[in-house]
């Protein structure tokens, strides 16, 4: 079959493409990506010459371009990863988040229903559920937890989810939605916590921990997430939402200390900085549904995954040094310069 994978030059999308080439080499993958600051064509170098792979530089909001691509490729499945994904950027400038995350999703689904009711999968986030209190470790997000967002980013993702469900109900579009927790692993853009801390540590730069570093995230190794999406696309029930995550909760400060230790640096690098506005306290996924229905469980233990990830950043310095030497410097100065 032919899959259109949007946002495949970013972190999770590229890992998904690599996973799918291995797991289903017979499938054709067409990667559609605008190549924003977060997209990196060099990441896809290993698959560029694969006859079953094609890269197309395109904005998911470009209706004419998207429709022409559907006409040409006649996809069986669309997996939509393309999004503005960084919470801090959404706090600075929400507009592009509404544009890409909501209108782009609608454009992709309009193409799906115009060209034969194409199977559509939306990659969403646990952030649509808002946050959980730190003193109630017994509470988890289930698929029934009400949508209750905190940031412009999570609100735009929630808006997209509602539209996806509306297209299913109104037009009978065959959709599924996955809501996963924080991913980590290779090709993670260095604006996000784990790669930022690894890069700063290696450059002996201060490690900016928001607030007191007590916020909790539920970490998922990116390949485990890719396997879950593959399963949902092939075997998930149409119209359903699946939470993806796996009881891997960590406080930010403990992650930072672990990275420092693994890299043999000193905790004096830690710098507590002004907290993120509206900072979500804790995310924690209950993955019972995807486990019971599709047999999925995360396979990578955090202790192993974080070691593999750190090793990847050590082995692939050129990839992230190229990124942080460019426009990223201005971003970093703006976000952290006076914090
Ligand atoms: P990322 O920022 O690393 O990559 C996003 C990709 O989308 C980039 O390649 C970028 O060029 C592309 N893109 C952005 N706007 C586009 C547009 N208008 N048209 C076409 N392409 C566009 O993001 P990521 O971390 O890989 O996240 C992928 C998806 O997973 C997003 O939908 C995000 O909301 C969701 N998600 C991410 C996480 C996480 O921990 N990273 C967790 C839960 C959900
Ligand atoms: O410099 C930092 N210092 C810091 O303390 C950064 C960048 C982050 N943090 C904290 C904020 C969060 O509590 O670390 C935690 C993780 O931050 P991010 O890496 O920005 O991720 P988060 O805000 O949790 O969102 C991520 O997971 C859900 C992804 O970026 C989203 O796309 C996804 O939907």
């Amino acid at each position: 079959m032919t899959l259109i994978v949007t946002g495949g030059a970013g972190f999770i999308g590229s890992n998904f493409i690599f996973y799918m080439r291995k797991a289903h080499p017979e499938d054709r993958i067409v990667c559609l990506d605008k190549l924003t600051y977060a997209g990196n064509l060099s990441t896809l170098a290993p698959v560029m010459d694969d006859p079953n792979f094609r890269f197309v530089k395109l904005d998911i909001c470009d209706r004419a371009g998207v429709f022409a691509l559907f006409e040409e490729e006649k996809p069986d499945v669309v997996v939509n990863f393309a999004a503005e994904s960084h919470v801090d950027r959404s706090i600075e400038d929400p507009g592009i988040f509404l544009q890409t995350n909501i209108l782009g999703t609608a454009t992709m689904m309009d193409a799906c229903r115009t060209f034969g009711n194409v199977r559509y999968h939306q990659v969403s986030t646990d952030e649509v559920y808002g946050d959980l209190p730190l003193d109630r470790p017994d509470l988890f997000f289930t698929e029934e937890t009400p949508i209750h967002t905190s940031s412009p980013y999570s609100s735009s993702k929630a808006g997209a989810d509602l539209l996806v469900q509306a297209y299913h109900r109104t037009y009978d579009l065959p959709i599924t939605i996955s809501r996963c927790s924080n991913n980590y692993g290779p090709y993670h853009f260095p604006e996000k916590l784990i790669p930022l801390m690894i890069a700063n540590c290696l450059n002996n730069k201060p490690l900016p921990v928001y607030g007191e570093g007590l916020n909790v995230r539920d970490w998922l190794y990116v390949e485990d997430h890719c396997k879950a999406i593959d399963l949902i696309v092939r075997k998930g029930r149409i119209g359903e939402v699946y939470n993806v995550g796996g009881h891997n909760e960590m406080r930010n400060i403990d992650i930072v200390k672990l990275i420092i230790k693994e890299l043999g640096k000193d905790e004096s690098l830690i710098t507590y900085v002004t907290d993120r506005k509206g900072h979500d306290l804790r995310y924690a996924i209950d993955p019972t549904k995807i486990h019971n229905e599709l047999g999925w469980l995360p396979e990578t233990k955090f202790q192993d995954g974080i070691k593999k990830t750190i090793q990847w950043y050590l082995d692939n310095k050129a990839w992230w040094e190229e990124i942080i030497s460019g426009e990223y410097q201005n971003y970093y100065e703006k976000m952290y310069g006076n914090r």
Side-chain angles (χ1 to χ4, degrees):
M1 65 183 183
T2 297
L3 295 93
I4 290 186
V5 175
T6 72
F11 166 44
I12 308 176
S14 60
N15 278 281
F16 181 73
I17 289 171
F18 298 145
Y19 173 75
M20 293 293 278
R21 299 283 358 109
K22 273 190 289 167
H24 308 285
E26 69 286 1
D27 288 344
R28 173 169 170 76
I29 293 187
V30 179
C31 171
L32 180 172
D33 198 297
K34 183 183 176 184
L35 297 180
T36 67
Y37 80 92
N40 197 334
L41 203 48
S42 75
T43 301
L44 293 172
V47 291
M48 273 306 191
D49 294 332
D50 189 326
N52 259 349
F53 177 80
R54 176 183 175 197
F55 177 82
V56 180
K57 184 174 186 302
L58 192 62
D59 186 335
I60 58 167
C61 302
D62 176 351
R63 184 166 286 263
V66 167
F67 276 51
L69 186 66
F70 271 64
E71 177 98 60
E72 191 185 344
E73 288 289 348
K74 305 196 172 22
D76 303 289
V77 175
V78 169
V79 183
N80 185 26
F81 290 95
E84 288 293 332
S85 69
H86 193 34
V87 174
D88 291 327
R89 288 186 194 252
S90 83
I91 293 167
E92 293 299 306
D93 183 11
I96 185 70
F97 285 74
L98 310 186
Q99 182 76 24
T100 290
N101 299 1
I102 301 177
L103 297 179
T105 296
T107 306
M108 292 307 298
M109 290 194 298
D110 282 339
C112 283
R113 68 191 183 90
T114 305
F115 291 89
N117 234 17
V118 174
R119 173 82 171 83
Y120 179 89
H121 180 74
Q122 175 74 357
V123 180
S124 184
T125 169
D126 59 0
E127 295 197 20
V128 300
Y129 300 122
D131 62 353
L132 297 163
L134 291 176
D135 60 356
R136 288 292 306 273
D138 55 314
L139 295 181
F140 296 92
F141 296 136
T142 74
E143 289 79 2
E144 309 307 321
T145 302
I147 301 282
H148 186 79
T149 55
S150 312
S151 70
Y153 162 71
S154 55
S155 305
S156 69
K157 293 294 287 185
D161 282 15
L162 294 177
L163 264 182
V164 175
Q165 287 171 320
Y167 272 56
H168 175 56
R169 171 135 183 186
T170 307
Y171 307 115
D172 214 15
L173 192 70
I175 64 95
T176 41
I177 298 174
S178 53
R179 294 181 178 145
C180 73
S181 53
N182 287 57
N183 284 219
Y184 68 104
Y187 302 107
H188 203 179
F189 195 86
E191 68 191 347
K192 308 283 170 46
L193 178 76
I194 289 181
L196 185 146
M197 296 299 166
I198 296 173
N200 281 17
C201 245
L202 288 171
N203 288 330
N204 296 310
K205 283 182 65 178
L207 307 178
V209 173
Y210 298 168
E212 295 177 78
L214 302 179
N215 303 59
V216 170
R217 297 294 182 263
D218 181 0
W219 293 94
L220 175 66
Y221 192 64
V222 64
E223 196 174 24
D224 284 332
H225 181 200
C226 296
K227 286 182 189 168
I229 293 174
D230 183 27
L231 267 177
I232 296 168
V233 164
R234 281 163 210 272
K235 298 187 180 148
R237 280 191 294 135
I238 298 302
E240 293 293 313
V241 174
Y242 291 92
N243 282 356
V244 186
H247 302 299
N248 213 337
E249 291 177 54
M250 300 271 295
R251 299 189 310 178
N252 294 339
I253 188 65
D254 296 329
I255 295 206
V256 173
K257 287 184 177 171
L258 190 83
I259 291 170
I260 292 172
K261 195 163 162 235
E262 285 292 326
L263 290 173
K265 302 289 178 172
D266 197 277
E267 288 190 7
S268 60
L269 285 176
I270 294 174
T271 313
Y272 292 95
V273 300
T274 309
D275 209 350
R276 174 184 279 174
K277 291 191 180 92
H279 199 171
D280 280 338
L281 294 172
R282 170 177 169 250
Y283 304 143
I285 287 266
D286 175 355
T288 305
K289 180 173 173 180
I290 188 167
H291 178 58
N292 287 349
E293 287 191 18
L294 304 178
W296 179 90
L297 273 181
E299 290 164 24
T300 310
K301 292 199 180 70
F302 189 77
Q303 299 90 303
D304 302 331
I306 192 73
K307 282 203 174 88
K308 273 203 274 186
T309 302
I310 292 174
Q311 194 57 49
W312 188 88
Y313 280 87
L314 286 168
D315 295 342
N316 292 275
K317 274 191 176 172
W319 182 87
W320 56 268
E321 278 178 345
E322 165 86 22
I323 292 172
I324 66 172
S325 65
E327 172 58 28
Y328 181 89
Q329 288 294 327
N330 299 334
Y331 164 80
Y332 200 89
E333 182 51 33
K334 184 175 163 204
M335 303 302 267
Y336 296 96
N338 251 332
R339 198 152 181 156

